[in-house]
Amino acid sequence: MSIKENLLDFQEKLKGSHCQLIAVSKTHPVELIKEAYEAGQRAFGENKAQEMKAKQPELPADVEWHMIGHLQTNKVKYIAPYVHLIQSVDSLKLLQEINRQAQKHDRVINCLLQFFIAEEESKFGLDVQEAQALLRSDEYQALAHVRICGVMGVATNTQDQAQLQREFKSLKNIFETLKQEFFPQAHHFREISMGMSSDYQLAIAEGSTMIRVGSAIFGYREYSATVTL
Ligand SMILES: *Cc1c(COP(=O)(O)O)cnc(C)c1O
């Protein structure tokens, strides 16, 4: 199937579900992103700041760029002028740098807190106690140029549906806990970003508001090859 057909398929599946599709375009060239754009897709996810920076000027200005990968503080400056949502915030230090760069560009940057939900080592993210400490801190309260819109998580790479369901439920619970304690009146705190090509149906059933889908739209990625833009 073509990129366009894949996207139409997702649009059909997501109809009436309150869940948004983020097309994960990492490693794929600008030509394929344009193809998706022409099929109506506007939200794209990248996991490297430099790759996003290189692609952004090549695409129309109404593309919504989502940072979904681990972000080092010294790379925030590459995406701060235009990024739509940074989904991978996992420390106060990173949030402070995002705030500093957002202020420079006279804007507010929307962010999600990334949580560790997988039963695997090596995944990035906070746990709920760390997030509570962050949100209670004076340092966080002083930040006027970031807005936290919800939570994000990457589940274990497994076929085990019961395990995936546990992990998605745990992220939903974290969302509800934080909503109640810190954002009871805040309409903008509403996003639960979970679900990828292999597990998005289950994620939607467990309350996802944003699925991040790469290979089911663009096909397989070649990690070994250098990305040509
Ligand atoms: C690559 C990536 C995705 C998309 O993965 P697919 O399996 O290709 O759909 C989603 N989320 C994150 C954080 C990723 O790095």
Side-chain angles (χ1 to χ4, degrees):
M1 290 223 295
S2 69
I3 289 174
K4 184 175 182 179
E5 287 169 322
N6 290 337
L7 285 169
L8 290 177
D9 208 40
F10 270 98
Q11 283 163 15
E12 200 54 43
K13 281 180 187 140
L14 293 178
K15 229 180 232 165
S17 72
H18 306 288
C19 183
Q20 192 193 353
L21 173 66
I22 313 302
V24 176
S25 48
K26 65 187 185 193
T27 79
H28 295 296
V30 160
E31 294 74 68
L32 296 193
I33 307 178
K34 284 186 177 154
E35 209 176 309
Y37 182 90
E38 274 149 31
Q41 182 66 26
R42 292 294 177 271
F44 293 92
E46 291 283 338
N47 69 339
K48 293 201 167 75
Q50 272 129 320
E51 191 172 335
M52 186 185 284
K53 177 184 191 266
K55 289 173 172 175
Q56 188 266 341
E58 304 293 320
L59 281 135
D62 65 341
V63 163
E64 295 180 3
W65 293 98
H66 292 243
M67 174 49 64
I68 62 169
H70 184 64
L71 181 59
Q72 290 170 277
T73 49
N74 62 351
K75 307 252 169 83
V76 176
K77 58 178 182 283
Y78 296 137
I79 63 171
Y82 53 83
V83 69
H84 181 75
L85 179 65
I86 299 179
Q87 299 205 5
S88 46
V89 173
D90 60 359
S91 72
L92 177 61
K93 190 173 124 241
L94 177 58
L95 205 53
Q96 286 172 314
E97 176 60 13
I98 295 168
N99 186 76
R100 208 168 70 85
Q101 295 294 334
Q103 186 166 19
K104 268 193 197 168
H105 295 283
D106 196 24
R107 61 184 298 236
V108 172
I109 296 182
N110 291 324
C111 296
L112 304 182
L113 295 178
Q114 181 173 354
F115 287 88
F116 179 87
I117 55 170
E119 293 173 13
E120 288 173 344
E121 288 305 312
S122 91
K123 291 266 161 75
F124 294 103
L126 301 160
D127 63 32
V128 70
Q129 287 82 12
E130 289 168 333
Q132 285 167 321
L134 187 160
L135 293 168
R136 283 180 195 135
S137 70
D138 294 340
E139 291 91 337
Y140 164 71
Q141 313 266 339
L143 306 180
H145 293 267
V146 290
R147 179 167 50 209
I148 296 185
C149 301
V151 302
M152 181 269 225
V154 182
T156 303
N157 184 9
T158 177
Q159 300 291 332
D160 182 340
Q161 299 299 299
Q163 180 177 350
L164 288 169
Q165 191 174 38
R166 272 200 307 280
E167 295 179 6
F168 292 144
K169 278 189 194 303
S170 77
L171 188 60
K172 169 94 188 206
N173 279 335
I174 291 169
F175 171 82
E176 297 296 348
T177 302
L178 298 181
K179 173 104 190 147
Q180 201 175 15
E181 184 173 352
F182 299 99
F183 303 97
Q185 310 294 339
H187 182 64
H188 65 262
F189 190 85
R190 59 173 178 222
E191 304 296 353
I192 305 175
S193 173
M194 59 186 187
M196 310 180 16
S197 293
S198 58
D199 57 20
Y200 67 86
Q201 285 109 329
L202 189 54
I204 294 169
E206 295 301 331
S208 174
T209 67
M210 267 184 190
I211 52 173
R212 309 176 306 267
V213 177
S215 43
I217 295 169
F218 293 106
Y220 288 104
R221 287 179 292 273
E222 286 207 40
Y223 282 106
S224 50
T226 323
V227 183
T228 48
L229 298 172

